[in-house]
Coordinates of all heavy atoms in Angstrom, one line a residue:
M182 N -42.6 -34.2 27.2 CA -42.0 -32.9 27.1 C -42.8 -32.0 26.1 O -43.1 -32.4 25.0 CB -40.6 -33.1 26.4 CG -39.7 -34.0 27.2 SD -38.9 -33.0 28.6 CE -37.4 -32.5 27.8
A183 N -43.1 -30.8 26.6 CA -44.0 -30.0 25.8 C -43.5 -28.6 26.0 O -44.0 -27.9 26.9 CB -45.4 -30.1 26.2
Y184 N -42.5 -28.2 25.3 CA -42.0 -26.8 25.5 C -42.9 -25.8 24.8 O -43.6 -26.0 23.8 CB -40.6 -26.7 24.8 CG -39.5 -27.3 25.7 CD1 -39.1 -28.6 25.5 CD2 -38.9 -26.5 26.6 CE1 -38.1 -29.2 26.2 CE2 -37.9 -27.1 27.4 CZ -37.6 -28.4 27.2 OH -36.5 -28.9 28.0
Q185 N -43.1 -24.7 25.6 CA -43.9 -23.5 25.0 C -43.1 -22.2 25.3 O -42.2 -22.2 26.2 CB -45.3 -23.5 25.7 CG -45.3 -23.5 27.2 CD -46.6 -23.7 27.8 OE1 -47.6 -23.1 27.3 NE2 -46.7 -24.6 28.7
T186 N -43.5 -21.2 24.6 CA -42.8 -19.9 24.8 C -42.9 -19.3 26.2 O -43.9 -19.3 26.8 CB -43.4 -18.9 23.8 OG1 -43.3 -19.5 22.5 CG2 -42.7 -17.5 23.9
L187 N -41.7 -18.9 26.7 CA -41.6 -18.3 28.0 C -41.4 -16.8 27.9 O -42.1 -16.0 28.4 CB -40.5 -18.9 28.8 CG -40.1 -18.4 30.1 CD1 -41.3 -18.4 31.1 CD2 -38.9 -19.1 30.7
C188 N -40.4 -16.4 27.1 CA -40.1 -14.9 26.9 C -39.0 -14.9 25.9 O -38.4 -15.8 25.4 CB -39.6 -14.3 28.2 SG -38.0 -14.9 28.8
K189 N -38.8 -13.6 25.4 CA -37.7 -13.2 24.5 C -36.4 -13.4 25.2 O -36.2 -13.0 26.3 CB -37.8 -11.9 24.0 CG -39.0 -11.7 23.0 CD -39.0 -10.3 22.4 CE -40.0 -10.1 21.4 NZ -40.0 -8.7 20.7
K190 N -35.4 -14.0 24.5 CA -34.1 -14.1 25.0 C -33.5 -12.8 25.4 O -32.8 -12.8 26.4 CB -33.2 -14.7 23.9 CG -32.0 -15.4 24.4 CD -31.3 -16.3 23.2 CE -30.9 -15.5 22.0 NZ -30.3 -16.3 21.0
T191 N -33.8 -11.7 24.7 CA -33.2 -10.5 25.0 C -33.7 -9.8 26.3 O -33.2 -8.9 26.8 CB -33.5 -9.5 23.8 OG1 -35.0 -9.5 23.6 CG2 -32.8 -9.9 22.6
L192 N -34.8 -10.4 26.9 CA -35.2 -9.9 28.2 C -34.3 -10.3 29.3 O -34.4 -9.7 30.4 CB -36.7 -10.4 28.5 CG -37.8 -9.8 27.7 CD1 -39.1 -10.5 28.1 CD2 -37.9 -8.3 28.0
L193 N -33.5 -11.3 29.1 CA -32.7 -11.9 30.2 C -31.3 -11.3 30.2 O -30.6 -11.1 29.2 CB -32.6 -13.4 30.1 CG -33.9 -14.2 29.9 CD1 -33.6 -15.6 29.8 CD2 -34.8 -13.9 31.1
S194 N -30.8 -11.0 31.4 CA -29.4 -10.5 31.6 C -28.8 -11.2 32.9 O -29.6 -11.5 33.8 CB -29.5 -9.0 31.8 OG -30.0 -8.3 30.7
P195 N -27.5 -11.3 32.8 CA -26.9 -12.0 34.0 C -27.2 -11.2 35.3 O -27.3 -9.9 35.3 CB -25.4 -11.9 33.7 CG -25.3 -11.8 32.1 CD -26.5 -11.1 31.7
S196 N -27.4 -11.9 36.4 CA -27.7 -11.4 37.7 C -29.1 -10.7 37.8 O -29.3 -10.0 38.8 CB -26.7 -10.4 38.1 OG -25.4 -11.0 38.2
E197 N -29.9 -10.9 36.8 CA -31.3 -10.3 36.8 C -32.4 -11.3 37.1 O -32.2 -12.5 36.8 CB -31.6 -9.6 35.5 CG -30.7 -8.4 35.1 CD -30.9 -7.3 36.0 OE1 -32.1 -7.1 36.4 OE2 -30.0 -6.5 36.3
L198 N -33.4 -10.8 37.7 CA -34.7 -11.7 37.8 C -35.7 -11.2 36.9 O -36.0 -9.9 36.9 CB -35.1 -11.6 39.3 CG -36.3 -12.4 39.7 CD1 -36.4 -12.8 41.2 CD2 -37.7 -11.7 39.4
V199 N -36.4 -12.1 36.2 CA -37.5 -11.7 35.2 C -38.7 -12.5 35.5 O -38.6 -13.7 35.5 CB -37.0 -11.9 33.7 CG1 -38.2 -11.6 32.9 CG2 -35.8 -11.0 33.4
P200 N -39.8 -11.9 35.9 CA -41.0 -12.7 36.2 C -41.8 -12.9 34.9 O -41.6 -12.2 33.9 CB -41.8 -11.7 37.1 CG -41.3 -10.3 36.8 CD -39.9 -10.4 36.3
A201 N -42.5 -14.0 34.8 CA -43.3 -14.3 33.6 C -44.4 -15.1 34.0 O -44.5 -15.6 35.1 CB -42.4 -15.1 32.7
M202 N -45.4 -15.2 33.2 CA -46.6 -16.0 33.4 C -46.8 -17.0 32.2 O -46.9 -16.5 31.0 CB -47.8 -15.1 33.6 CG -49.1 -15.8 34.0 SD -49.1 -16.4 35.7 CE -49.4 -14.9 36.6
V203 N -47.0 -18.2 32.5 CA -47.2 -19.2 31.4 C -48.3 -20.2 31.9 O -48.2 -20.8 32.9 CB -45.9 -20.1 31.0 CG1 -46.2 -21.1 30.0 CG2 -44.8 -19.1 30.6
D204 N -49.4 -20.3 31.1 CA -50.5 -21.2 31.5 C -50.9 -20.9 32.9 O -51.1 -21.9 33.6 CB -50.1 -22.6 31.2 CG -50.3 -23.0 29.8 OD1 -50.8 -22.2 29.0 OD2 -49.9 -24.2 29.5
N205 N -51.1 -19.7 33.3 CA -51.5 -19.3 34.7 C -50.5 -19.8 35.8 O -50.9 -19.9 36.9 CB -52.9 -19.9 35.0 CG -54.0 -19.3 34.2 OD1 -54.0 -18.1 34.0 ND2 -54.8 -20.0 33.6
T206 N -49.3 -20.2 35.3 CA -48.3 -20.5 36.3 C -47.3 -19.3 36.3 O -46.7 -19.0 35.3 CB -47.6 -21.8 35.9 OG1 -48.5 -22.8 35.8 CG2 -46.4 -22.1 36.9
E207 N -47.1 -18.8 37.5 CA -46.1 -17.7 37.7 C -44.7 -18.2 37.7 O -44.5 -19.2 38.6 CB -46.4 -16.8 38.9 CG -45.7 -15.6 38.9 CD -46.0 -14.7 40.1 OE1 -46.7 -15.2 41.1 OE2 -45.6 -13.5 40.2
I208 N -43.8 -17.7 37.0 CA -42.5 -18.1 36.8 C -41.5 -17.1 37.2 O -41.8 -15.9 36.9 CB -42.1 -18.6 35.4 CG1 -43.2 -19.6 34.9 CG2 -40.7 -19.1 35.2 CD1 -43.1 -21.0 35.6
V209 N -40.4 -17.4 37.8 CA -39.3 -16.4 38.0 C -38.1 -17.0 37.2 O -37.7 -18.2 37.4 CB -38.9 -16.0 39.4 CG1 -40.0 -15.2 40.0 CG2 -38.6 -17.2 40.3
I210 N -37.5 -16.2 36.3 CA -36.4 -16.6 35.6 C -35.1 -15.9 36.2 O -35.2 -14.6 36.2 CB -36.4 -16.3 34.1 CG1 -37.7 -16.8 33.5 CG2 -35.2 -16.8 33.3 CD1 -38.2 -15.9 32.4
I211 N -34.1 -16.5 36.7 CA -33.0 -15.9 37.2 C -31.8 -16.4 36.5 O -31.7 -17.5 36.1 CB -32.9 -16.1 38.8 CG1 -32.9 -17.5 39.1 CG2 -34.1 -15.3 39.5 CD1 -32.7 -17.8 40.6
W212 N -30.7 -15.5 36.4 CA -29.5 -15.8 35.7 C -28.5 -15.6 36.6 O -27.9 -14.5 36.8 CB -29.4 -14.9 34.5 CG -28.3 -15.3 33.6 CD1 -27.2 -16.1 33.8 CD2 -28.2 -14.9 32.1 NE1 -26.4 -16.2 32.8 CE2 -26.9 -15.6 31.7 CE3 -28.9 -14.2 31.3 CZ2 -26.5 -15.4 30.4 CZ3 -28.4 -14.0 30.0 CH2 -27.2 -14.6 29.6
P213 N -28.0 -16.7 37.4 CA -26.9 -16.6 38.4 C -25.6 -16.3 37.7 O -25.3 -16.8 36.6 CB -27.0 -17.9 39.1 CG -27.5 -18.9 38.1 CD -28.5 -18.1 37.2
E214 N -24.8 -15.6 38.3 CA -23.4 -15.3 37.9 C -22.6 -16.6 37.7 O -22.7 -17.4 38.5 CB -22.7 -14.4 38.9 CG -23.3 -13.0 39.1 CD -22.5 -12.2 40.2 OE1 -21.6 -12.7 40.8 OE2 -23.0 -11.2 40.5
G215 N -22.0 -16.6 36.5 CA -21.2 -17.8 36.2 C -22.0 -19.1 35.8 O -21.4 -20.1 35.6
G216 N -23.3 -18.8 35.7 CA -24.2 -19.9 35.4 C -25.0 -19.7 34.1 O -24.6 -18.9 33.2
R217 N -26.1 -20.3 34.0 CA -27.1 -20.1 32.9 C -28.4 -19.7 33.4 O -28.7 -19.9 34.6 CB -27.2 -21.4 32.1 CG -27.7 -22.5 32.9 CD -28.1 -23.7 32.0 NE -28.6 -24.8 32.8 CZ -29.8 -25.0 33.3 NH1 -30.7 -24.0 33.2 NH2 -30.2 -26.0 34.0
P218 N -29.4 -19.1 32.6 CA -30.7 -18.8 33.0 C -31.4 -20.0 33.5 O -31.3 -21.1 32.9 CB -31.3 -18.2 31.8 CG -30.2 -17.7 31.0 CD -29.1 -18.7 31.2
R219 N -32.2 -19.9 34.6 CA -32.9 -21.0 35.2 C -34.4 -20.5 35.5 O -34.6 -19.3 35.9 CB -32.3 -21.5 36.5 CG -30.8 -21.7 36.3 CD -30.3 -22.4 37.5 NE -30.5 -23.9 37.4 CZ -29.6 -24.8 37.3 NH1 -28.3 -24.4 37.2 NH2 -29.9 -26.1 37.2
A220 N -35.3 -21.3 35.3 CA -36.7 -21.0 35.5 C -37.3 -21.8 36.6 O -37.2 -23.0 36.7 CB -37.5 -21.3 34.3
F221 N -37.9 -21.0 37.6 CA -38.5 -21.7 38.8 C -39.9 -21.2 38.9 O -40.3 -20.1 38.5 CB -37.8 -21.3 40.0 CG -36.3 -21.7 40.1 CD1 -35.3 -20.8 39.6 CD2 -36.0 -23.0 40.5 CE1 -33.9 -21.3 39.6 CE2 -34.6 -23.3 40.6 CZ -33.7 -22.5 40.2
N222 N -40.8 -22.1 39.5 CA -42.1 -21.7 40.0 C -42.0 -20.5 40.9 O -41.1 -20.6 41.8 CB -42.8 -22.9 40.6 CG -44.2 -22.6 40.8 OD1 -44.7 -21.7 41.5 ND2 -45.1 -23.4 40.2
A223 N -42.7 -19.5 40.7 CA -42.5 -18.3 41.5 C -43.1 -18.5 43.0 O -42.9 -17.6 43.8 CB -43.2 -17.1 40.8
R224 N -43.8 -19.5 43.2 CA -44.4 -19.7 44.6 C -43.3 -20.2 45.5 O -42.7 -21.2 45.4 CB -45.5 -20.7 44.5 CG -46.7 -20.3 43.7 CD -47.4 -19.2 44.4 NE -47.9 -18.3 43.3 CZ -48.2 -16.9 43.5 NH1 -48.1 -16.4 44.7 NH2 -48.6 -16.2 42.5
C225 N -43.1 -19.3 46.6 CA -42.2 -19.7 47.6 C -42.6 -21.1 48.3 O -43.7 -21.3 48.6 CB -42.0 -18.6 48.6 SG -40.9 -19.0 50.0
P226 N -41.6 -22.0 48.5 CA -42.0 -23.2 49.1 C -42.4 -23.1 50.6 O -42.9 -24.0 51.2 CB -40.7 -24.1 49.0 CG -39.6 -23.1 48.7 CD -40.2 -21.9 48.1
H227 N -42.2 -21.9 51.1 CA -42.6 -21.7 52.6 C -44.1 -21.6 52.7 O -44.8 -22.5 53.0 CB -41.9 -20.5 53.1 CG -42.3 -20.2 54.6 ND1 -42.4 -18.9 55.0 CD2 -42.7 -21.0 55.6 CE1 -42.8 -18.9 56.3 NE2 -43.0 -20.2 56.7
E228 N -44.6 -20.5 52.2 CA -46.1 -20.2 52.3 C -46.7 -19.8 51.0 O -47.9 -19.3 50.9 CB -46.4 -19.2 53.4 CG -46.1 -19.7 54.8 CD -46.6 -18.8 55.9 OE1 -47.0 -17.7 55.6 OE2 -46.5 -19.3 57.0
G229 N -45.9 -20.0 49.9 CA -46.5 -19.7 48.5 C -46.5 -18.3 48.1 O -47.2 -18.0 47.1
V230 N -45.9 -17.4 48.8 CA -45.9 -16.0 48.4 C -45.0 -15.9 47.1 O -44.0 -16.7 46.9 CB -45.2 -15.1 49.4 CG1 -45.0 -13.6 49.0 CG2 -46.2 -15.1 50.7
S231 N -45.4 -15.0 46.3 CA -44.7 -14.8 44.9 C -43.2 -14.4 45.2 O -42.9 -13.4 45.9 CB -45.4 -13.9 44.0 OG -44.6 -13.7 42.9
L232 N -42.3 -15.0 44.5 CA -40.9 -14.6 44.5 C -40.6 -13.6 43.4 O -39.4 -13.2 43.3 CB -40.0 -15.9 44.3 CG -40.0 -16.8 45.5 CD1 -39.6 -18.2 45.1 CD2 -39.2 -16.3 46.7
A233 N -41.6 -13.1 42.7 CA -41.4 -12.2 41.6 C -40.8 -10.9 42.1 O -40.1 -10.1 41.4 CB -42.6 -11.9 40.8
Q234 N -41.1 -10.5 43.4 CA -40.6 -9.3 44.0 C -39.4 -9.6 44.9 O -39.1 -8.8 45.8 CB -41.7 -8.6 44.7 CG -42.9 -8.2 43.9 CD -42.5 -7.3 42.8 OE1 -41.7 -6.3 43.0 NE2 -43.1 -7.4 41.6
G235 N -38.9 -10.8 44.8 CA -37.8 -11.2 45.6 C -36.5 -10.4 45.3 O -36.4 -9.7 44.2
I236 N -35.5 -10.5 46.2 CA -34.3 -9.8 45.9 C -33.3 -10.8 45.5 O -32.9 -11.8 46.2 CB -33.8 -9.2 47.3 CG1 -34.8 -8.2 47.8 CG2 -32.4 -8.5 47.1 CD1 -34.5 -7.8 49.3
F237 N -32.9 -10.6 44.2 CA -31.8 -11.5 43.6 C -30.5 -10.6 43.3 O -30.5 -9.6 42.8 CB -32.3 -12.0 42.3 CG -31.4 -13.0 41.6 CD1 -30.9 -14.1 42.2 CD2 -30.9 -12.7 40.3 CE1 -29.9 -15.0 41.7 CE2 -30.1 -13.6 39.7 CZ -29.6 -14.7 40.4
N238 N -29.4 -11.1 43.9 CA -28.2 -10.4 43.9 C -27.2 -11.0 42.9 O -25.9 -10.7 42.9 CB -27.5 -10.3 45.3 CG -27.2 -11.6 45.9 OD1 -27.2 -12.7 45.2 ND2 -26.7 -11.6 47.1
G239 N -27.6 -11.9 42.1 CA -26.8 -12.7 41.2 C -26.3 -14.0 41.7 O -25.7 -14.8 41.0
S240 N -26.6 -14.3 43.0 CA -26.2 -15.4 43.6 C -27.3 -16.1 44.4 O -27.6 -17.3 44.2 CB -25.0 -15.2 44.6 OG -24.6 -16.4 45.2
T241 N -28.0 -15.3 45.2 CA -29.0 -15.8 46.0 C -30.3 -15.1 45.8 O -30.3 -13.9 45.4 CB -28.7 -15.7 47.5 OG1 -28.4 -14.4 47.9 CG2 -27.5 -16.7 47.8
L242 N -31.4 -15.7 46.0 CA -32.8 -15.1 45.9 C -33.4 -15.2 47.3 O -33.5 -16.2 47.9 CB -33.6 -15.9 44.8 CG -35.1 -15.5 44.7 CD1 -35.2 -14.0 44.3 CD2 -35.8 -16.4 43.8
I243 N -33.8 -13.9 47.7 CA -34.4 -13.8 49.0 C -36.0 -13.6 48.9 O -36.3 -12.7 48.2 CB -33.8 -12.7 49.8 CG1 -32.3 -13.0 50.0 CG2 -34.5 -12.6 51.2 CD1 -31.5 -11.8 50.6
C244 N -36.8 -14.4 49.5 CA -38.2 -14.2 49.4 C -38.6 -12.9 50.1 O -38.1 -12.6 51.2 CB -38.9 -15.4 50.1 SG -40.7 -15.2 50.1
P245 N -39.5 -12.1 49.5 CA -39.9 -10.8 50.1 C -40.8 -11.0 51.4 O -41.0 -10.0 52.1 CB -40.6 -10.1 49.0 CG -41.1 -11.2 48.2 CD -40.1 -12.3 48.2
A246 N -41.4 -12.1 51.6 CA -42.3 -12.3 52.6 C -41.6 -12.5 54.0 O -41.9 -11.7 55.0 CB -43.3 -13.4 52.3
H247 N -40.9 -13.5 54.2 CA -40.2 -13.9 55.4 C -38.8 -14.1 55.3 O -38.1 -14.6 56.3 CB -40.9 -15.1 56.0 CG -42.4 -15.1 56.0 ND1 -43.1 -15.8 55.0 CD2 -43.3 -14.4 56.7 CE1 -44.4 -15.6 55.2 NE2 -44.5 -14.7 56.2
G248 N -38.2 -13.7 54.2 CA -36.7 -13.8 54.1 C -36.0 -15.1 53.9 O -34.8 -15.2 54.0
W249 N -36.7 -16.1 53.5 CA -36.1 -17.4 53.2 C -35.1 -17.1 52.0 O -35.4 -16.3 51.1 CB -37.0 -18.5 52.8 CG -37.7 -19.1 54.0 CD1 -38.0 -18.5 55.2 CD2 -38.3 -20.4 54.1 NE1 -38.7 -19.4 56.0 CE2 -38.8 -20.5 55.4 CE3 -38.4 -21.4 53.1 CZ2 -39.5 -21.7 55.8 CZ3 -39.1 -22.6 53.6 CH2 -39.6 -22.7 54.8
V250 N -33.9 -17.8 52.1 CA -32.9 -17.6 51.1 C -32.6 -18.8 50.3 O -32.5 -19.9 50.8 CB -31.6 -17.2 51.8 CG1 -30.5 -16.9 50.7 CG2 -31.8 -16.0 52.7
F251 N -32.6 -18.7 48.9 CA -32.4 -19.8 47.9 C -31.2 -19.6 47.1 O -30.9 -18.4 46.7 CB -33.6 -19.9 47.1 CG -34.9 -20.1 47.9 CD1 -35.6 -19.0 48.2 CD2 -35.3 -21.4 48.3 CE1 -36.8 -19.2 48.9 CE2 -36.5 -21.5 49.0 CZ -37.2 -20.4 49.3
D252 N -30.5 -20.7 46.8 CA -29.3 -20.7 45.9 C -29.8 -20.4 44.5 O -30.6 -21.2 44.0 CB -28.7 -22.1 46.1 CG -27.3 -22.1 45.3 OD1 -27.3 -21.5 44.1 OD2 -26.4 -22.7 45.7
G253 N -29.3 -19.4 43.8 CA -29.7 -19.1 42.5 C -29.3 -20.1 41.4 O -29.8 -20.1 40.3
H254 N -28.3 -20.9 41.8 CA -27.8 -22.0 40.8 C -28.7 -23.2 40.8 O -28.9 -23.9 39.8 CB -26.4 -22.3 41.0 CG -25.4 -21.2 40.7 ND1 -24.9 -21.1 39.4 CD2 -24.9 -20.2 41.4 CE1 -24.1 -20.0 39.4 NE2 -24.1 -19.5 40.5
S255 N -29.1 -23.6 42.0 CA -29.8 -24.9 42.2 C -31.2 -24.7 42.7 O -32.1 -25.7 42.5 CB -29.0 -25.7 43.2 OG -29.1 -25.1 44.5
G256 N -31.6 -23.6 43.2 CA -33.0 -23.4 43.8 C -33.1 -24.0 45.2 O -34.1 -24.0 45.8
E257 N -32.0 -24.6 45.7 CA -32.0 -25.2 47.0 C -32.2 -24.1 48.1 O -31.5 -23.0 48.0 CB -30.8 -26.0 47.3 CG -30.9 -27.3 46.4 CD -29.6 -28.2 46.8 OE1 -29.1 -28.0 47.9 OE2 -29.3 -29.0 45.9
G258 N -32.9 -24.4 49.2 CA -32.9 -23.5 50.3 C -31.6 -23.5 51.1 O -31.0 -24.5 51.3
L259 N -31.1 -22.2 51.3 CA -29.9 -22.0 52.1 C -30.2 -21.7 53.6 O -29.5 -22.0 54.4 CB -29.1 -20.9 51.4 CG -28.6 -21.2 50.0 CD1 -27.9 -20.0 49.5 CD2 -27.6 -22.4 50.0
S260 N -31.3 -20.9 53.7 CA -31.8 -20.5 55.0 C -33.2 -20.3 55.0 O -33.8 -19.4 54.5 CB -31.1 -19.2 55.5 OG -31.5 -18.7 56.7
P261 N -34.0 -21.4 55.5 CA -33.4 -22.6 56.0 C -33.1 -23.6 54.9 O -33.5 -23.4 53.8 CB -34.6 -23.2 56.8 CG -35.8 -22.7 56.0 CD -35.5 -21.4 55.6
S262 N -32.3 -24.7 55.2 CA -32.1 -25.7 54.3 C -33.2 -26.7 54.3 O -34.2 -26.6 55.1 CB -30.7 -26.3 54.6 OG -30.7 -26.9 55.9
G263 N -33.1 -27.7 53.4 CA -34.1 -28.7 53.5 C -35.4 -28.4 52.6 O -36.3 -29.1 52.8
C264 N -35.3 -27.4 51.9 CA -36.4 -27.0 50.9 C -35.8 -26.6 49.6 O -34.6 -26.4 49.5 CB -37.2 -25.9 51.5 SG -36.3 -24.4 51.7
E265 N -36.6 -26.5 48.6 CA -36.1 -26.0 47.3 C -37.3 -25.5 46.5 O -38.4 -25.9 46.7 CB -35.4 -27.1 46.5 CG -36.3 -28.3 46.2 CD -35.5 -29.5 45.5 OE1 -34.3 -29.2 45.1 OE2 -36.1 -30.5 45.3
M266 N -36.9 -24.6 45.6 CA -37.9 -24.0 44.6 C -38.0 -25.1 43.6 O -37.1 -25.9 43.2 CB -37.3 -22.7 43.9 CG -37.1 -21.6 44.9 SD -36.7 -20.0 44.2 CE -35.2 -20.4 43.4
V267 N -39.3 -25.1 43.0 CA -39.5 -26.0 41.9 C -38.9 -25.5 40.5 O -39.3 -24.4 40.1 CB -41.0 -26.2 41.7 CG1 -41.4 -27.1 40.5 CG2 -41.6 -26.9 43.0
E268 N -38.1 -26.2 39.9 CA -37.4 -25.7 38.7 C -38.1 -26.5 37.4 O -38.4 -27.6 37.5 CB -35.9 -26.1 38.7 CG -35.2 -25.4 37.5 CD -33.7 -25.5 37.6 OE1 -33.2 -26.2 38.5 OE2 -33.1 -24.9 36.7
Y269 N -38.1 -25.7 36.3 CA -38.6 -26.3 35.1 C -37.4 -26.2 34.0 O -36.7 -25.3 34.0 CB -39.8 -25.5 34.5 CG -41.0 -25.5 35.4 CD1 -41.3 -24.3 36.2 CD2 -41.8 -26.6 35.6 CE1 -42.3 -24.2 37.1 CE2 -42.9 -26.5 36.5 CZ -43.1 -25.4 37.2 OH -44.2 -25.3 38.1
P270 N -37.3 -27.2 33.2 CA -36.4 -27.1 32.1 C -36.7 -26.0 31.1 O -37.9 -25.8 30.8 CB -36.4 -28.4 31.4 CG -37.6 -29.1 31.9 CD -38.1 -28.4 33.1
I271 N -35.6 -25.3 30.6 CA -35.9 -24.3 29.6 C -34.9 -24.6 28.4 O -33.9 -25.3 28.6 CB -35.6 -22.9 30.1 CG1 -34.3 -22.7 30.7 CG2 -36.8 -22.5 31.0 CD1 -33.9 -21.3 31.1
Q272 N -35.2 -24.0 27.2 CA -34.3 -24.2 26.1 C -34.5 -22.9 25.2 O -35.4 -22.2 25.3 CB -34.7 -25.5 25.3 CG -36.1 -25.4 24.6 CD -36.4 -26.6 23.8 OE1 -35.8 -27.7 23.9 NE2 -37.4 -26.6 22.9
I273 N -33.4 -22.7 24.4 CA -33.5 -21.6 23.5 C -34.0 -22.1 22.2 O -33.5 -23.2 21.6 CB -32.0 -21.0 23.3 CG1 -31.6 -20.5 24.7 CG2 -32.0 -19.9 22.2 CD1 -30.1 -20.0 24.7
N274 N -34.9 -21.4 21.6 CA -35.4 -21.7 20.2 C -35.3 -20.4 19.4 O -36.4 -19.6 19.6 CB -36.8 -22.3 20.3 CG -37.3 -22.7 18.9 OD1 -36.6 -22.5 17.9 ND2 -38.5 -23.3 18.9
G275 N -34.3 -20.1 18.6 CA -34.2 -18.9 17.9 C -34.1 -17.7 18.9 O -33.1 -17.7 19.7
E276 N -34.9 -16.8 18.9 CA -34.8 -15.6 19.8 C -35.6 -15.7 21.0 O -35.7 -14.9 21.8 CB -35.3 -14.3 18.9 CG -34.3 -14.0 17.8 CD -32.9 -13.8 18.3 OE1 -32.7 -13.1 19.2 OE2 -32.0 -14.4 17.7
M277 N -36.3 -16.9 21.1 CA -37.2 -17.2 22.3 C -36.6 -18.2 23.3 O -35.8 -19.1 22.9 CB -38.6 -17.6 21.8 CG -39.2 -16.7 20.7 SD -39.4 -15.0 21.2 CE -40.7 -15.2 22.4
I278 N -37.0 -18.0 24.5 CA -36.8 -19.0 25.5 C -38.1 -19.8 25.7 O -39.1 -19.2 25.8 CB -36.4 -18.3 26.9 CG1 -35.2 -17.4 26.8 CG2 -36.2 -19.5 27.9 CD1 -33.8 -18.2 26.5
E279 N -37.9 -21.1 25.7 CA -39.1 -21.9 25.9 C -38.9 -22.7 27.3 O -37.9 -23.0 27.7 CB -39.2 -22.9 24.8 CG -39.4 -22.3 23.4 CD -39.5 -23.2 22.2 OE1 -38.9 -24.4 22.4 OE2 -40.2 -22.9 21.2
I280 N -40.1 -23.1 27.8 CA -40.1 -23.8 29.1 C -41.1 -25.0 29.0 O -42.0 -25.0 28.2 CB -40.7 -22.8 30.2 CG1 -40.6 -23.4 31.6 CG2 -42.1 -22.4 29.9 CD1 -40.9 -22.4 32.6
D281 N -40.7 -26.1 29.7 CA -41.6 -27.3 29.8 C -42.2 -27.4 31.2 O -41.5 -27.8 32.1 CB -40.7 -28.5 29.5 CG -41.5 -29.8 29.5 OD1 -42.7 -29.8 29.7 OD2 -40.9 -30.8 29.3
L282 N -43.4 -27.0 31.3 CA -44.1 -26.9 32.6 C -44.5 -28.3 33.1 O -44.8 -28.5 34.2 CB -45.3 -26.1 32.6 CG -45.1 -24.5 32.4 CD1 -46.5 -23.8 32.4 CD2 -44.3 -24.0 33.6
D283 N -44.5 -29.2 32.1 CA -44.8 -30.7 32.4 C -43.7 -31.4 33.3 O -43.9 -32.4 33.8 CB -45.1 -31.4 31.2 CG -46.4 -30.9 30.5 OD1 -47.2 -30.3 31.2 OD2 -46.5 -31.1 29.3
D284 N -42.5 -30.8 33.2 CA -41.3 -31.4 33.8 C -40.9 -30.5 34.9 O -40.1 -29.5 34.6 CB -40.3 -31.7 32.7 CG -39.1 -32.5 33.4 OD1 -39.0 -32.6 34.6 OD2 -38.2 -33.0 32.6
D285 N -41.2 -30.8 36.1 CA -40.7 -29.9 37.3 C -39.6 -30.5 38.0 O -39.4 -30.4 39.2 CB -41.9 -29.6 38.2 CG -42.5 -30.9 38.8 OD1 -41.9 -31.9 38.6 OD2 -43.5 -30.6 39.5
S286 N -38.8 -31.3 37.3 CA -37.7 -32.1 38.0 C -36.4 -31.7 37.4 O -35.4 -32.5 37.5 CB -37.9 -33.6 37.8 OG -37.9 -34.0 36.5
A287 N -36.3 -30.5 36.7 CA -35.0 -30.1 36.1 C -33.9 -30.0 37.2 O -34.0 -29.5 38.2 CB -35.2 -28.7 35.4
D288 N -32.8 -30.7 36.9 CA -31.7 -30.5 37.8 C -30.4 -30.7 37.1 O -29.3 -30.7 37.7 CB -31.7 -31.6 38.9 CG -31.9 -33.0 38.3 OD1 -31.7 -33.2 37.1 OD2 -31.9 -33.9 39.1
E289 N -30.5 -30.8 35.7 CA -29.2 -30.9 35.0 C -28.6 -29.5 34.7 O -29.2 -28.5 34.8 CB -29.4 -31.5 33.6 CG -30.1 -30.7 32.5 CD -31.5 -30.5 32.7 OE1 -32.1 -31.2 33.6 OE2 -32.2 -29.8 32.0
D290 N -27.3 -29.4 34.4 CA -26.7 -28.2 34.2 C -26.3 -28.0 32.7 O -26.4 -28.3 31.8 CB -25.4 -28.0 34.9 CG -25.6 -27.6 36.3 OD1 -26.5 -26.7 36.5 OD2 -25.0 -28.2 37.3
Ligands
FES57 S1 -43.5 -17.3 51.9 FE1 -41.4 -17.1 51.3 S2 -40.3 -17.0 53.2 FE2 -42.4 -17.2 53.7

């Protein structure tokens, strides 16, 4: 576990998508309605296009390239199913959000 700074806590708002870059890894932080902020690798599991310009409506994230749809709470593919975005654990440290890029198996709530 090696947490490092991701962004300021104040940058995040419910139903918003915030792109970030950490150690040359592009991240999208999304805050689904009724949930908590989650950080995913920005590379779409389809063909690797960045999800930073994706459409997030507070529930689902749609890839701008070919329209694959992902669940904003879990990162699982909804259309098509059988795929998922890579999620990283995050934590709050004072006014900052930190991310652990070494652990891409985040699935706890
Ligand atoms: S690269 Fe995202 S849907 Fe094709």
